[in-house]
Amino acid sequence: MSGPNTDYDPVEVTPLKAEEVDAARDAALAAIAAAQDLEELKQVRIDHVGDRSALALANREIGALPPAARKEAGQRIGQARAAVNKALAERQAVLEAEHEARILVEEAVDVTLPTDRCPTGGRHPLTTGAELIADIFVAMGWEVAEGPVIEAEWLNFDALNLGPDHPARTMQDTFWTEPAENHLVLRTHTSPVQARTMLTRGVTEDAPIYVVCPGRVFRTDEYDATHSPMFHQVEGLAIDEGITMAHLKGTLDHFASQMFGEGITTRFRPSYFPFTEPSAEVDLVCFVCRGIDSEDCRTCRGEGWIEWGGCGIVNPRVLRACGVDADRFSGFAFGMGIDRTLMFRHGLEDLRTLFEGDVRFTTAFGSEI
Amino acid sequence: MKAPVSWIKEYVDLPADLTTEALTDRLTALGLKLEAIEAAGAGIQGPLVIGRVLTQEKEPQKNGKVINWCTVDVGDANGTGEPQGIVCGAHNFGPGDKVVVILPGGVLPGNFQIAARKTYGHVSAGMICSAAELGLPDDGAHGIVVVPTDGPEPGTDAREFLGFGEEVIEFEINPDRAYALSLRGIAREAALGFEAPYRDPALRETPAANDDGYPVVIDDAIGCPVFVARSVSGFDPATPTPEWMARRLEQAGMRPISLAVDVTNYVMLETGRPIHGYDRDTLRGPLRVRRAAEGERMTTLDGTERTLSALDLVVTDDSGVIGLGGVMGGATTEMSATTTNVLIEAAHWDAVSMFRTGKRHKISSEAGKRNERGVDPTICEAAADRVVELLVELGGATAEPGVTVVGVPPQPEPIEIGTDLPARISGMPIPAETTIAHLEAVGCAVTVAGDRATATPPPWRPDITQPYDLVEEVVRIVGYDQVPSVLPRRATGRGLTRSQRLRRRVGRTLAGAGLVEVISFPFVGESTWEALGLPADDPRRNTVGLANPLSAEAPAYTTTVLPGLLEAAGRNLGRGAPGVALFETQTVATPSEAGAAPIYGVDRRPTDAELEALLAAIPKQWTELGVVLAGEHERAGWWGPARPAGWQDALAVVDRLTTELGVEITVESAAVMPWHPGRCAKVTAGETVLGFAGELHPNVCRNYGLPERSAAVVLDLDALIGLTPAVTPGPTFSTMPLAKEDVALVVDQAVTVASVEAALREGAGELLESIRLFDVYVSEQLGKDKKSLAFALRFRAPDRTLTAEETAAARDAAVARAAERTGAVQRA
Ligand SMILES: [Zn+2]
């Protein structure tokens, strides 16, 4: 540290001589103004207001003056010292501010440095997708029902009007547990949960059933880009007095718009499911092209509609087997694939990405879908 | 089911301006779903004509190929009338043959532009077309289409001859609409859809039954209620199938075989009634329909020898079994290239029996497909008569006067229905008159009494058996698109259950801790247990087996979440990930000891006891949570080197999760595969063993392609959730000043931190707020079997500032208790 004042050698100031006091004051003010940093200012302070400074020494000599001269000399010195102290304080503040600013500048970092020391986690879109669906229905006052994946044959088939010779049983190639005579299967749909709900809870006027059943199901499909021996379904069941196809349509329209956006509705086409009668296929307005100028739409392949699932009025035979008074109550049921729904909702091309466990896939979805 | 539009129109007068799209839209709305519209010849443009090959010179090429340099008479189609020079690589034709030629300027399917071009030293002006090039079904010979000599003259546009421009609609027919597996049924639906006049091809005058027909006996009238037999003689087996019939069969997806077979197939497509033809000269004595004897054998016409079950329906003659009734005929009596006398069988078979026999013998045939879904039982005579007519007309045969009709068709049961039921079920205002009119439109005979109606379904609708079936018929005609959209108003659910909410919380906690969820298949096998190093008597080897696994390698349902998770970890590392932290929740299962699950009837609810027995037979299933940590747990970067995952990270996950859920756990060392025997912790909450966590056994890491020191956790998630307190008590804490005391204790290596900590905690008393191990130190000075544990003790009183004396006393008491319990010695 070197500055203009380092070698300051205080000259003796005679307090009575105004020009000498003024000179000492001006020298101090000039030194203060010239101080470039806090270090220099500290030295200036020592030199010009310290015990051995000209003004301090002069001040000390006031007492030795004749009383008549004291007042004037005292005033002159006092004013000079006040001016110097004020300048010092001001300069101190300026230099401190400059100093702090400089430190902040010097402490700057490269904010583009990577910060991924601890990798990000994520939840599987099939999990969060099922939760999203559950939340849509819970918000309407429905409940979420669950059941085992290894299921009794009777609950998976017979109770749902799929008798032992029903052709539909060949449509769903089923995993049977060993020995097959034990009549246990890996459930081929989540419908046995609906049967369980009716059987264990029953239906009364005061306690209607409104349940949605998301879950894992199995079929003996070879694994490829569009088939998997394990996949996920969500089914819904409403049993109450006066339930109609209109309620089914209303519920699915609401589900569709919540899942795919305002204005996305459904279309029914006659179909066949043993569980329901009348039965319908549910199509969804393509949420990408909205059915307008669909020719080049990749999502619906030019159809304007996307096949979404099946639904219908619960077959009275099912109600009977599950102990529901079919004369008093009617119900509707629907079901769709969660995997498939996610595939077109998110533009997935290969079903297998859902089951490979590649973290690049899952982390893209974060914790909610 | 594929139906040519022209064939449909034979039976229904559709509006003249109706497009095929409008037709299929309406039929889809009625329940016959459009799969595809095929138009033969679509994509072909320009001059496509019949040509006659005049000359054909074979020219061997350097590449070993032989090409044909042909001149072809194409009439005036080329504008000059001169022969057209064309190079052709196929050899299944010769001079004099008529072929199909596309001339320059034409376009073949796939936008294949035809131009005169130089090739093999000639200018080839056009192309002689193969079936494949024309987009026609290939007969397997990959050859040129050779036109019969009596086909159109050279120069004629070939489209009409090829059947181009004719649209074929492919429908997806639901199992309940078996009647639509025929042109008769499809045309009926089209008539219904457009209120158009309909002509039933099965409605025809047929000769009355008499005693001169071929003798037939039915032993099983339930399996075969009706058997009609007709005969023709003098059939010329050499007569080719007429072009129109062959084309229709092809359009409908069936291959033409011979005139006699083609006629039976044609009538099946037309009426829906499968027909079987016998070579009458091979039959020995009367036909008899009965159930097979168990173990009886026969050879079906596909050449397969079959061992029959006592449930199979068979047709026999004096020689024995000659056919699997309704499913497939036998080899010994089948019509052949020399058959001149034909016996025609049109019989009605029990659908369930057909289904079982087809399934048992793995036979899938067009006849079986219809018979097992249900065919109109009243049209056997009409269908047989139609076959006779065609064999006479086309094959030069003479109809025999004998007409055998055995049995009577089953009668449809009348169904009673409230006339307001369709309205009540659909939510649409459907008046009673509409209901009645629509039921009649689908063929029901309806009588009305007040607000009730009785509808007798038509014989071609065996699927209609209950009132709701009638509702579907009415609603589909009114239109599913008319159903209004109304939300139900009475749902009174109580929200998610506690365990549903907690499972979400677990997932979010783990994701927040940097773990990524995966979903794997639950299939395992012997190799899985070998890879995990499970001992032979490990209970996890006791799996629920699969009777029909997809892979012999994985024939069982898993008992642990780990295998899929470990594979996923290996897959990620194999794809270049520097490290992975994965979690999965998987349903796992152990076999039930309760034996077979009962099968009950469905005409009533099972009793509570029956239900209980059913549920008891289902294998025990629960949810396991698994975690695998492998490779870099913290990445390398400008901050420093990577930190690989290890056993402590596994336990940290357990700690984080149980802390989140408010479940207090204890850990103790355990030796369980697939973990490292010295680096595995058993996690317990009270009396409940929740699972295990720690480093994986080096062999297991190797087996799954994971780096050594990879770690894993398995927890019983259901148990963990069950232990989660419903309400967390609000904590109380003091705001008085904190007093800190650190102590270093020397103990034997074998002494666990947990035991020292527990002793310190107990000795320190109520003033202790927290205790935390902050250092573990070993040195030669301490001795080989010793370690020094440094704990930070934090004391605080609820109501006052602690004095130095109080704090020191508590610390000393803590150390004294540790000394007493664990032999700890405080370091100076
Ligand atoms: Zn679209």
Side-chain angles (χ1 to χ4, degrees):
Chain A
M1 270 290 165
S2 70
N5 307 71
T6 341
D7 301 325
Y8 183 75
D9 182 21
V11 292
E12 193 174 319
V13 174
T14 311
L16 282 179
K17 289 189 176 163
E19 61 275 25
E20 284 185 23
V21 173
D22 288 348
R25 181 197 66 199
D26 292 346
L29 292 177
I32 288 164
Q36 290 304 303
D37 57 32
L38 291 167
E39 238 358 86
E40 284 178 17
L41 193 65
K42 193 174 164 192
Q43 190 60 45
V44 171
R45 186 186 301 275
I46 292 165
D47 294 344
H48 293 277
V49 297
D51 289 346
R52 291 171 36 74
S53 67
L55 286 173
L57 294 173
N59 193 47
R60 217 174 289 151
E61 282 173 29
I62 290 173
L65 290 177
R70 267 187 216 159
K71 189 180 173 195
E72 190 195 342
Q75 262 177 359
R76 185 179 297 130
I77 300 272
Q79 280 167 358
R81 293 182 75 191
V84 169
N85 278 329
K86 181 164 177 278
L88 260 179
E90 284 169 2
R91 187 66 185 154
Q92 176 81 22
V94 167
L95 290 178
E96 270 177 10
E98 276 178 11
H99 176 69
E100 277 169 19
R102 194 163 53 244
I103 285 177
L104 294 182
V105 168
E106 283 165 2
E107 284 179 352
V109 296
D110 179 357
V111 295
T112 68
L113 282 169
T115 57
D116 55 348
R117 184 171 190 160
C118 298
T120 314
R123 300 172 71 209
H124 200 285
L126 280 170
T127 305
T128 51
E131 289 177 2
L132 171 62
I133 293 167
D135 288 344
I136 291 169
F137 281 91
V138 167
M140 287 193 284
W142 291 49
E143 293 183 0
V144 179
E146 293 157 317
V149 295
I150 303 175
E151 185 58 284
E153 179 184 355
W154 189 82
L155 286 166
N156 193 74
F157 289 125
D158 302 64
L160 306 169
N161 194 34
L162 286 124
D165 292 311
H166 207 291
R169 277 206 191 181
T170 58
M171 287 158 58
Q172 318 175 342
D173 292 329
T174 306
F175 283 109
W176 297 84
T177 74
E178 207 172 44
E181 305 83 72
N182 270 2
H183 301 302
L184 295 167
V185 299
L186 303 194
R187 67 179 178 194
T188 57
H189 42 197
T190 52
S191 317
V193 181
Q194 305 183 24
R196 284 166 171 267
T197 305
M198 288 185 269
L199 283 162
T200 56
R201 192 199 282 187
V203 186
T204 65
E205 192 188 330
D206 297 330
I209 288 178
Y210 290 89
V211 292
V212 67
C213 323
R216 188 167 293 184
V217 301
F218 298 85
R219 310 244 174 116
T220 58
D221 284 331
E222 289 294 338
Y223 194 34
D224 63 28
T226 53
H227 298 86
S228 168
M230 178 181 94
F231 55 101
H232 299 76
Q233 270 193 342
V234 59
E235 296 191 23
L237 174 73
I239 300 192
D240 201 345
E241 290 180 321
I243 285 287
T244 70
M245 289 175 80
H247 294 134
L248 171 59
K249 181 81 164 61
T251 302
L252 290 177
D253 280 343
H254 177 73
F255 181 19
S257 67
Q258 290 287 298
M259 197 76 190
F260 295 98
E262 206 59 45
I264 301 302
T265 55
T266 62
R267 168 178 85 173
F268 287 177
R269 282 182 287 110
S271 188
Y272 171 75
F273 306 106
F275 189 80
T276 48
E277 186 73 37
S279 301
E281 302 267 358
V282 192
D283 297 339
L284 187 71
V285 173
C286 175
F287 60 95
V288 175
C289 67
R290 297 193 167 237
I292 300 156
D293 296 333
S294 309
E295 285 77 23
D296 300 325
C297 180
R298 289 180 54 195
T299 302
C300 63
R301 295 196 184 83
E303 297 283 324
W305 294 89
I306 300 167
E307 287 186 26
W308 197 21
C311 66
I313 293 294
V314 180
N315 194 316
R317 291 194 178 100
V318 174
L319 297 180
R320 196 182 315 135
C322 295
V324 175
D325 181 351
D327 293 329
R328 275 194 65 196
F329 299 100
S330 57
F332 69 72
F334 61 85
M336 46 275 297
I338 300 178
D339 316 55
R340 221 182 80 74
T341 300
L342 294 189
M343 281 183 78
F344 56 72
R345 189 175 187 256
H346 298 274
L348 311 180
E349 310 228 313
D350 193 326
L351 182 66
R352 288 170 291 199
T353 52
L354 291 168
F355 304 116
E356 284 184 328
D358 194 312
V359 296
R360 292 169 297 177
F361 174 76
T362 306
T363 48
F365 296 93
S367 252
E368 295 278 336
I369 195 163
Chain B
M1 175 75 196
K2 290 183 174 181
V5 173
S6 68
W7 201 350
I8 297 173
K9 287 180 173 169
E10 269 187 30
Y11 313 123
V12 55
D13 297 332
L14 292 171
D17 55 352
L18 186 69
T19 63
T20 303
E21 283 70 26
L23 172 63
T24 55
D25 281 354
R26 185 73 187 111
L27 288 175
T28 296
L30 282 171
L32 305 191
K33 195 202 163 200
L34 170 68
E35 192 75 3
I37 299 175
E38 293 170 7
I44 299 179
Q45 295 165 32
L48 182 76
V49 299
I50 303 291
R52 181 189 284 113
V53 180
L54 301 172
T55 63
Q56 185 191 47
E57 287 165 40
K58 299 205 176 293
E59 297 183 352
Q61 303 297 312
K62 282 186 201 130
N63 62 8
K65 261 174 86 172
V66 177
I67 61 106
N68 291 305
W69 168 238
C70 304
T71 56
V72 185
D73 172 14
V74 293
D76 290 329
N78 56 3
T80 65
E82 294 296 314
Q84 196 82 358
I86 300 175
V87 170
C88 182
H91 300 283
N92 66 319
F93 67 101
D97 278 347
K98 281 184 183 172
V99 293
V100 177
V101 177
I102 187 152
L103 297 172
V107 181
L108 286 178
N111 200 25
F112 180 27
Q113 313 264 348
I114 306 300
R117 61 190 183 99
K118 254 188 96 98
T119 178
Y120 295 111
H122 299 281
V123 173
S124 182
M127 215 169 97
I128 301 174
C129 301
S130 71
E133 283 156 354
L134 294 169
L136 293 170
D138 200 324
D139 59 4
H142 308 292
I144 293 303
V145 174
V146 178
V147 180
T149 42
D150 61 351
E153 289 307 302
T156 316
D157 192 296
R159 286 177 175 81
E160 194 188 332
F161 167 77
L162 293 167
F164 285 2
E166 160 110 70
E167 287 173 309
V168 177
I169 307 171
E170 184 176 1
F171 295 102
E172 185 189 315
I173 304 295
N174 288 315
D176 61 334
R177 300 198 180 278
Y179 65 94
L181 292 171
S182 67
L183 271 301
R184 179 193 188 214
I186 290 168
R188 191 191 301 280
E189 292 287 289
L192 178 67
F194 296 94
E195 294 174 27
Y198 171 71
R199 285 176 300 283
D200 184 349
L203 191 65
R204 54 190 290 131
E205 290 293 324
T206 56
N210 54 48
D211 296 334
D212 306 329
Y214 199 92
V216 173
V217 180
I218 298 176
D219 285 348
D220 189 329
I222 291 174
C224 179
V226 185
F227 196 115
V228 171
R230 295 283 301 275
S231 282
V232 298
S233 306
F235 171 73
D236 175 7
T239 312
T241 301
E243 190 59 41
W244 62 267
M245 181 180 279
R247 190 185 307 143
R248 279 193 168 168
L249 289 173
E250 279 177 344
Q251 286 170 334
M254 298 189 78
R255 179 168 300 173
I257 294 166
S258 67
L259 178 57
V261 173
D262 294 347
V263 164
T264 60
N265 283 336
Y266 187 85
V267 173
M268 175 180 72
L269 291 170
E270 189 175 70
T271 63
R273 161 60 63 197
I275 310 280
H276 185 63
Y278 299 89
D279 183 332
R280 202 176 69 220
D281 297 335
T282 64
L283 297 176
R284 303 283 171 265
L287 298 186
R288 184 175 286 272
V289 180
R290 60 166 169 86
R291 299 280 169 177
E294 188 72 41
E296 206 168 354
R297 299 174 80 86
M298 75 161 296
T299 303
T300 44
L301 55 77
D302 59 358
T304 308
E305 185 170 1
R306 300 179 188 274
T307 305
L308 305 179
S309 144
L311 297 170
D312 292 329
L313 279 165
V314 292
V315 179
T316 68
D317 68 0
D318 291 348
S319 71
V321 179
I322 58 166
L324 265 178
V327 177
M328 192 176 267
T332 56
T333 56
E334 130 181 67
M335 292 189 294
S336 71
T338 59
T339 299
T340 56
N341 299 321
V342 180
L343 182 76
I344 299 143
E345 165 206 305
H348 187 68
W349 305 92
D350 172 52
V352 169
S353 184
M354 295 297 101
F355 173 74
R356 288 182 180 166
T357 294
K359 197 169 143 186
R360 189 177 302 122
H361 296 287
K362 299 189 172 61
I363 298 172
S364 170
S365 65
E366 290 290 328
K369 189 164 93 183
R370 288 169 176 80
N371 280 328
E372 72 184 32
R373 284 171 171 78
V375 183
D376 184 343
T378 63
I379 60 167
C380 294
E381 286 167 80
D385 191 58
R386 174 71 166 141
V387 173
V388 170
E389 176 185 60
L390 287 169
L391 290 178
V392 168
E393 202 173 281
L394 305 173
T398 307
E400 294 284 337
V403 176
T404 306
V405 179
V406 183
V408 284
Q411 291 296 311
E413 291 291 323
I415 302 163
E416 207 190 310
I417 178 176
T419 50
D420 65 340
L421 190 66
R424 282 201 287 122
I425 291 305
S426 66
M428 294 190 280
I430 302 174
E433 313 80 82
T434 306
T435 291
I436 293 156
H438 288 351
L439 290 178
E440 283 172 344
V442 297
C444 291
V446 185
T447 57
V448 184
D451 57 1
R452 314 281 306 165
T454 303
T456 306
W460 59 86
R461 293 299 304 271
D463 59 295
I464 299 179
T465 58
Q466 59 165 350
Y468 277 51
D469 297 333
L470 296 172
V471 171
E472 180 171 275
E473 295 304 307
V474 173
V475 175
R476 76 185 175 104
I477 298 173
V478 172
Y480 275 29
D481 57 342
Q482 301 298 308
V483 174
S485 188
V486 179
L487 274 178
R489 289 171 174 273
R490 283 189 7 114
T492 53
R494 291 153 293 182
L496 294 178
T497 63
R498 193 154 164 275
S499 78
Q500 285 162 353
R501 278 184 286 112
L502 283 170
R503 262 178 277 149
R504 292 182 176 197
R505 190 167 162 196
V506 167
R508 281 196 289 263
T509 302
L510 294 173
L515 278 77
V516 179
E517 187 177 17
V518 300
I519 290 179
S520 317
F521 295 164
F523 305 124
V524 292
E526 184 57 29
S527 60
T528 313
W529 310 137
E530 292 307 310
L532 290 177
L534 301 193
D537 61 348
D538 192 292
R540 285 168 290 181
R541 284 175 178 265
N542 182 24
T543 51
V544 175
L546 297 176
N548 54 336
L550 277 187
S551 152
E553 292 286 288
Y557 193 92
T558 194
T559 51
T560 161
V561 64
L562 276 180
L565 201 46
L566 291 168
E567 278 168 28
R571 196 173 297 126
N572 275 288
L573 296 176
R575 289 178 180 181
V580 281
L582 305 179
F583 78 98
E584 177 166 15
T585 54
Q586 175 75 275
T587 301
V588 298
T590 53
S592 160
E593 305 297 327
I599 297 285
Y600 300 127
V602 291
D603 49 346
R604 61 163 176 86
R605 179 190 188 273
T607 64
D608 287 348
E610 284 171 334
L611 193 57
E612 199 178 314
L614 182 76
L615 298 179
I618 294 170
K620 178 173 182 262
Q621 294 162 68
W622 68 102
T623 313
E624 244 184 28
L625 168 68
V627 171
V628 170
L629 312 168
E632 291 184 10
H633 196 59
E634 287 173 16
R635 281 182 203 160
W638 54 273
W639 50 76
R643 191 177 71 70
W647 63 270
Q648 70 277 26
D649 299 305
L651 277 156
V653 170
V654 174
D655 198 43
R656 184 155 183 165
L657 184 60
T658 52
T659 303
E660 164 69 27
L661 297 179
V663 175
E664 277 192 33
I665 56 159
T666 53
V667 296
E668 59 189 293
S669 80
V672 178
M673 287 305 281
W675 285 274
H676 185 306
R679 297 183 168 199
C680 172
K682 179 160 84 173
V683 181
T684 314
E687 298 295 304
T688 310
V689 177
L690 290 175
F692 298 88
E695 185 177 308
L696 287 164
H697 195 286
N699 290 344
V700 176
C701 293
R702 212 160 21 247
N703 292 340
Y704 284 96
L706 306 179
E708 282 199 1
R709 312 269 173 237
S710 294
V713 179
V714 171
L715 295 175
D716 180 339
L717 189 61
D718 295 341
L720 181 62
I721 282 173
L723 291 166
T724 304
V727 177
T728 305
T732 54
F733 46 81
S734 162
T735 52
M736 291 291 142
L738 180 70
K740 302 180 181 180
E741 290 283 348
D742 292 349
V743 297
L745 300 175
V746 177
V747 292
D748 288 347
Q749 278 286 4
V751 173
T752 63
V753 170
S755 61
V756 179
E757 188 186 306
L760 285 171
R761 191 181 291 280
E762 196 183 301
E766 285 187 347
L767 295 177
L768 183 73
E769 181 176 270
S770 71
I771 184 165
R772 186 175 149 73
L773 178 83
F774 67 88
D775 194 24
V776 180
Y777 171 73
V778 288
S779 75
E780 285 186 16
Q781 268 183 318
L782 284 175
K784 205 168 135 233
D785 301 327
K786 301 280 184 189
K787 61 186 172 190
S788 167
L789 306 175
F791 290 93
L793 306 179
R794 297 292 177 262
F795 296 95
R796 192 162 3 215
D799 52 352
R800 64 188 192 282
T801 303
L802 289 173
T803 64
E805 292 74 25
E806 280 178 299
T807 309
R811 177 203 63 206
D812 292 346
V815 170
R817 185 63 57 91
E820 174 193 326
R821 288 278 168 80
T822 67
V825 176
Q826 190 167 14
R827 280 178 85 197

